[in-house]
Amino acid sequence: MSDRLAGLAVLRAAVASVEPTWLRDADRTILAPQDLPLDVASTAEALGVSALDAVRVIKTVWGKVDTHARAALGAAGEQRLVELLVDTLDARVLQVSETSDGFGYDISVEGGESALHIEVKSTNRRGRLAIYLSRNEYEVMCTDHVWQLVAVLLDAAGRIASVGTVNREWIAGSVPFDSSVHGRWESTRLDVPSAAVSPGIVGIGRWLRPSATGGVLDVGIEDSGAPQWLNSAL
């Protein structure tokens, strides 16, 4: 292995093993060599790694950590929401994602002549809501009038702290577009502003049991209508 590759490998292992707090936001805070944290910059210099290569190392580590964390968090948030829906609604709740991920949504709620198809996106961050939307989820949204994208905020104990519905029109206006027949996007990340989120799950009130009125599903958070994870700066 060359000295350069050895240095890159050591730096990558060091960042991955420590997982510093700044790594969570590295996708938007570390974009160029001048953005490098001092500890990384000094370590890279000692290893003979260029500042530009150090930025690339951070992006690689962030991507792997973020993918793993999102998968675990997504599964936890979806399960907590299913449990809450079952406990508080007079409706049939089906976790269709357990059968297939091809539906374009995770949960089906059916009662009487009405239904909701809920795609769940989970976070444990306050002050930022970044979601990943697949092409299939988007195309289902475009043709399914009862499709909803619901964001779930989990607290440190893994409990639901807040729920919000992301506006469909905002999603449609924010996804990429295919500029030619030779390429198409398959997945995209959306940084959702507070103005695009409505508290609670829109349309869920028709099935709420009387004892659940005013709960997190209806108003987004107990005793408040403001989704906690979004701040006015977004």
Side-chain angles (χ1 to χ4, degrees):
M1 182 181 294
S2 69
D3 290 343
R4 176 176 178 271
L5 291 179
L8 290 172
V10 171
L11 183 62
R12 185 183 303 114
V15 175
S17 64
V18 175
E19 286 192 26
T21 55
W22 50 257
L23 186 62
R24 294 199 303 172
D25 291 316
D27 60 315
R28 64 177 186 176
T29 60
I30 303 177
L31 305 177
Q34 61 266 27
D35 302 325
L36 286 171
L38 292 177
D39 55 347
V40 175
S42 60
T43 301
E45 184 177 3
L47 292 170
V49 173
S50 71
L52 185 58
D53 277 344
V55 172
R56 292 168 178 155
V57 165
I58 289 174
K59 288 184 178 297
T60 299
V61 174
W62 176 86
K64 291 181 178 180
V65 170
D66 183 65
T67 299
H68 176 76
R70 280 193 290 113
L73 188 63
E78 183 180 326
Q79 188 58 43
R80 296 292 86 75
L81 185 60
V82 168
E83 293 168 359
L84 183 58
L85 291 168
V86 170
D87 289 344
T88 57
L89 299 185
D90 285 322
R92 185 184 183 202
V93 179
L94 299 174
Q95 190 174 3
V96 299
S97 61
E98 290 190 324
T99 302
S100 171
D101 60 1
F103 287 95
Y105 55 89
D106 301 309
I107 303 169
S108 174
V109 180
E110 303 171 3
E113 300 298 317
S114 303
L116 279 181
H117 296 153
I118 299 172
E119 172 61 28
V120 184
K121 302 298 181 183
S122 306
T123 183
N124 56 7
R125 303 289 302 278
R126 287 173 169 79
R128 182 184 183 188
L129 178 58
I131 63 174
Y132 288 79
L133 187 73
S134 73
R135 180 71 175 239
N136 182 52
E137 291 162 355
Y138 169 69
E139 291 181 342
V140 170
M141 181 196 80
C142 291
T143 58
D144 183 350
H145 72 281
V146 298
W147 186 96
Q148 300 264 32
L149 194 153
V150 173
V152 174
L153 172 68
L154 298 180
D155 64 17
R159 300 168 300 204
I160 291 181
S162 189
V163 172
T165 303
V166 181
N167 183 273
R168 293 164 61 105
E169 286 71 28
W170 180 87
I171 295 172
S174 301
V175 297
F177 65 93
D178 300 330
S179 59
S180 104
V181 297
H182 303 294
R184 55 178 268 147
W185 67 271
E186 293 296 338
S187 179
T188 186
R189 189 187 78 189
L190 302 174
D191 291 308
V192 186
S194 57
V197 183
S198 298
I201 299 179
V202 174
I204 206 71
R206 76 193 87 169
W207 297 303
L208 281 175
R209 295 173 187 147
S211 60
T213 301
V216 67
L217 292 178
D218 195 22
V219 300
I221 181 173
E222 298 289 356
D223 303 321
S224 170
Q228 277 185 2
W229 62 85
L230 297 173
N231 60 29
S232 58
L234 292 181

